[in-house]
């Protein structure tokens, strides 16, 4: 894009130089006719086109050297956001799979009513009879290692999701 734009701007600059040459020609022609007023007018027009052409050349150089970098930073930013979204979806998928698996495992274990398979801590083993009657408390006590891992996955997901 910048090459095409630079080419068009150079063409515009060239056209302005050609217009300046025409104005110079008219200025000389009116000098010969001893019409100083028109000679001055065309001389001023010539100078204006020459300055305009110089500004156009400088603008072309600035755009050619900076246009690519102008788009580089937003592109890098967009790529980083895409990578972050991919990581977020990955963490979400891991958490959802782990959570679903753990919920099903706890449900099966609770229905079996075999608290020896629940991997309870020694304190929770002492109150196992109470846990058989209270599903919410049993859920908190069951499979502590896997529950901690699942909670870590949840925290990682929420951390990335809030970026």
């Amino acid at each position: 894009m910048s090459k095409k734009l630079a080419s068009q701007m150079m063409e515009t600059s060239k056209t302005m130089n050609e217009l300046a040459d025409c104005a110079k020609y008219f200025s000389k022609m009116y000098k010969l006719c001893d019409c100083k007023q028109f000679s001055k007018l065309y001389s001023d027009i010539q100078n204006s086109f020459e300055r305009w052409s110089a500004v156009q050349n400088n603008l072309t150089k600035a755009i050619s050297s900076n246009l690519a970098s102008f788009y580089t930073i937003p592109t890098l930013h967009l790529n980083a956001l895409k990578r972050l979204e991919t990581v977020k979806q990955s963490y979400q998928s891991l958490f959802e799979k782990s959570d679903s698996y753990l919920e099903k495992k706890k449900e099966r274990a609770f229905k079996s009513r075999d608290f020896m398979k629940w991997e309870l801590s020694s304190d929770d083993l002492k109150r196992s009879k109470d846990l058989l009657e209270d599903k919410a408390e049993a859920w908190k006590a069951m499979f502590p290692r896997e529950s901690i891992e699942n909670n870590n996955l949840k925290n990682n997901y929420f951390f990335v999701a809030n970026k």
Side-chain angles (χ1 to χ4, degrees):
M1 179 178 146
S2 63
K3 290 180 182 179
K4 184 177 179 180
L5 182 61
S7 172
Q8 290 172 344
M9 292 177 78
M10 289 303 283
E11 283 297 317
T12 303
S13 178
K14 182 180 172 186
T15 302
M16 287 181 207
N17 277 329
E18 289 171 356
L19 289 171
D21 288 343
C22 288
K24 183 178 179 180
Y25 173 77
F26 283 120
S27 176
K28 285 182 182 178
M29 186 177 74
Y30 282 112
K31 275 185 186 175
L32 292 175
C33 296
D34 209 20
C35 296
K36 293 182 181 178
Q37 183 182 10
F38 285 120
S39 177
K40 171 96 172 87
L41 173 68
Y42 280 104
S43 181
D44 290 344
I45 291 173
Q46 173 194 352
N47 290 336
S48 295
F49 277 124
E50 286 173 348
R51 284 193 298 266
W52 196 358
S53 177
V55 167
Q56 190 74 17
N57 281 333
N58 290 336
L59 187 58
T60 302
K61 289 175 188 172
I63 287 176
S64 294
S65 63
N66 296 317
L67 192 63
S69 60
F70 175 78
Y71 288 107
T72 301
I73 293 172
T75 301
L76 292 173
H77 186 99
L78 181 63
N79 289 341
L81 289 175
K82 286 178 181 178
R83 283 193 304 272
L84 180 62
E85 184 61 28
T86 302
V87 169
K88 182 177 113 178
Q89 289 173 354
S90 173
Y91 274 114
Q92 181 181 10
S93 176
L94 280 171
F95 167 65
E96 287 173 351
K97 286 177 184 175
S98 172
D99 196 49
S100 174
Y101 171 77
L102 188 58
E103 285 295 314
K104 288 176 185 174
K105 186 175 180 178
K106 286 182 177 184
E107 189 65 42
R108 281 192 310 270
F110 188 76
K111 284 181 181 177
S112 77
R113 305 190 65 75
D114 184 2
F115 62 86
M116 294 307 288
K117 294 181 180 178
W118 294 4
E119 301 173 13
L120 297 173
S121 68
S122 57
D123 292 337
D124 289 330
L125 272 174
K126 292 175 187 172
R127 60 184 192 116
S128 58
K129 300 266 190 242
D130 295 335
L131 292 176
L132 287 171
E133 303 305 319
D134 188 356
K135 187 175 182 177
E137 283 300 311
W139 236 250
K140 292 177 189 175
M142 282 181 182
F143 309 109
R145 184 185 53 78
E146 290 178 50
S147 295
I148 289 170
E149 288 174 6
N150 190 57
N151 198 37
N152 287 340
L153 284 174
K154 180 177 85 172
N155 289 339
N156 288 341
Y157 166 63
F158 285 129
F159 176 77
V160 172
N162 291 317
K163 290 295 170 189

